[in-house]
């Protein structure tokens, strides 16, 4: 098998765990290619800058943020993702580090399934296009709240004076949208969540939008905002801009081992999340 390996060197200092993974795979006859950000750690290995379309899988070592950073390019290359969790929560990762041998044996023997997750397609002022796995966020860029009009296609939904609006996939419903009071959505549901952030109104509530609808968000005159995709800054907006968000034709596949269950993982991760935060306090 042929693997593209990504790693977050802040989560894996010195790429110690990454090296362990690669060595195990190579002793089993697999070929490992390393993202060029890891070239200094693996000077004698093959490197890549864009996903190798001939590869069977991407192995990502880090946390959800690491996966988000490479998800769109893996989707474009039809490269499924398997994640080892070195982060705090790890909704998107599949395996903890202490089970790496079990996981790798299953990957090498083909004992896994692929789960598709939808991507968002976003357009700004009919000019700039981009994709996101978790969410697209329109957020205020100054100390002042912003005024946003929200539409489904040409149908007016509501206007909000708020800190911003999150449009999330089911995958992203357990991320920023959840923190802002949005619903948790099963990954099998083909819907979007539209969640206002700190709205200056008692009736501004999250909404669920159907898969064939395009969410149109209009920034009103004299407002200043920034558009983010999966936490990355995309563009600064100044007054009367239009952001359109819907489902992309692309999807990203995650490698799931036997026994994977979204609801079981959700419960475990939310309980662990609460424990970590309470412990830190």
């Amino acid at each position: 098998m042929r693997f593209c390996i990504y790693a977050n060197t802040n989560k894996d200092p010195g790429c110690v765990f990454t090296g362990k993974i690669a060595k195990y795979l190579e002793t089993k006859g697999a070929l490992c290619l390393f993202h060029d950000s890891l070239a200094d750690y693996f000077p004698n290995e093959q490197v890549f800058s864009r996903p190798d379309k001939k590869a069977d899988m991407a192995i990502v070592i880090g946390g959800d943020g690491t996966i988000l950073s490479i998800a769109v390019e893996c989707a474009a290359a039809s490269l499924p993702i398997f994640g080892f969790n070195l982060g705090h929560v790890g909704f998107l990762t599949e395996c903890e580090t202490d089970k790496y041998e079990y996981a790798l044996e299953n990957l090498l023997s083909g004992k896994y399934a692929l789960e598709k997750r939808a991507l968002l397609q976003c357009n700004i002022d009919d000019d700039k296009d981009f994709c996101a796995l978790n969410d697209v966020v329109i957020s205020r860029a100054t100390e002042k709240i912003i005024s946003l009009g929200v539409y489904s296609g040409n149908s007016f939904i509501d206007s909000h004076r708020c800190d911003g609006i999150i449009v999330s996939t089911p995958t992203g419903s357990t991320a920023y949208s959840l923190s802002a009071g949005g619903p948790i959505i099963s990954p099998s549901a083909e819907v979007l969540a539209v969640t206002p952030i700190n709205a200056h109104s008692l009736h501004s509530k999250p909404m669920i939008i159907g898969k064939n609808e395009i969410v149109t968000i209009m920034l009103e005159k004299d407002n200043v905002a920034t558009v983010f995709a999966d936490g990355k800054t995309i563009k600064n907006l100044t007054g009367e801009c239009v952001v359109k968000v819907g489902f992309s034709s692309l999807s990203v596949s995650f490698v799931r081992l036997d026994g994977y269950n979204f609801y079981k993982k959700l419960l475990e991760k939310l309980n662990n999340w609460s424990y970590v935060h309470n412990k830190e306090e």
Side-chain angles (χ1 to χ4, degrees), residues 10 40 46 91 107 131 140 142 177 191 219 230-231 240 256 260:
N10 292 321
D40 289 344
Q46 295 186 51
F91 277 114
L107 299 184
C131 291
R140 65 184 176 94
T142 68
S177 179
V191 295
L219 181 68
D230 290 341
E240 297 188 317
R256 303 303 188 195
Y260 173 83

Side-chain angles (χ1 to χ4, degrees), residues 34-69:
F34 296 81
H35 188 257
D36 56 14
S37 63
L38 307 176
D40 289 344
Y41 297 95
F42 302 98
N44 299 318
E45 301 284 355
Q46 295 186 51
V47 298
F48 66 93
S49 57
R50 305 293 294 178
D52 182 350
K53 293 186 177 182
K54 295 180 181 179
D56 298 286
M57 190 179 301
I59 291 182
V60 183
I61 298 160
D64 289 344
T66 313
I67 288 178
L68 287 174
S69 70

Side-chain angles (χ1 to χ4, degrees), residues 199-255:
H200 198 255
S201 169
L202 294 177
H203 81 272
S204 294
K205 301 296 182 183
M207 288 196 66
I208 300 298
I209 303 295
K211 68 174 183 177
N212 295 320
E213 300 179 66
I214 302 296
V215 179
T216 300
I217 300 170
M218 301 184 70
L219 181 68
E220 296 183 8
K221 187 178 180 180
D222 299 326
N223 286 255
V224 181
T226 303
V227 179
F228 299 90
D230 290 341
K232 294 180 181 178
T233 301
I234 300 298
K235 188 175 182 179
N236 294 317
L237 309 179
T238 305
E240 297 188 317
C241 295
V242 178
V243 180
K244 296 180 180 180
V245 187
F247 277 118
S248 171
S249 59
L250 290 176
S251 62
V252 62
S253 294
F254 285 93
V255 178

